Amino acid sequence: KKEQEDDDSKREYCGTQFDHTDDKKKALERTLEEHENAIATGKEAITTLTEEISSLEKGIKDLDKSVVEATEQRKAENVEY
């Protein structure tokens, strides 16, 4: 009878420990998924920002080119007068 009580007690303890461990595992899996989602969102943001930076750099180069052309045109017009 004592052995049976000990076995029952150990079984209950192990069941409780399995439940706690399972809860911790599920919590860690949720946390991992949240971090993976955050990483994916961050990578998407980096890609978008990289594309926007490239577009802005091209716009700046185009603007610089048009400023140089306008300056040359004004110099040429001033020489004519």
Side-chain angles (χ1 to χ4, degrees):
K1 178 148 179 136
K2 174 72 172 147
E3 277 185 42
Q4 185 63 42
E5 288 176 4
D6 288 344
D7 288 346
D8 290 344
S9 175
K10 288 177 185 177
R11 182 177 296 122
E12 183 179 333
Y13 173 79
C14 288
T16 302
Q17 291 303 310
F18 279 132
D19 287 343
H20 287 294
T21 302
D22 191 46
D23 290 345
K24 287 180 184 179
K25 178 184 173 194
K26 287 178 183 176
L28 288 172
E29 287 172 344
R30 278 192 302 273
T31 301
L32 177 62
E33 184 177 345
E34 290 169 0
H35 288 309
E36 287 172 343
N37 289 338
I39 290 169
T41 300
K43 285 182 179 181
E44 288 174 14
I46 289 170
T47 299
T48 300
L49 291 171
T50 301
E51 291 170 358
E52 289 176 3
I53 289 169
S54 294
S55 177
L56 290 170
E57 286 175 340
K58 183 184 181 310
I60 290 170
K61 287 179 185 177
D62 291 344
L63 182 60
D64 286 345
K65 182 180 174 185
S66 67
V67 167
V68 168
E69 290 171 356
T71 301
E72 289 174 0
Q73 183 179 357
R74 280 194 302 277
K75 285 181 182 179
E77 290 172 355
N78 286 337
V79 169
E80 291 175 7
Y81 291 111

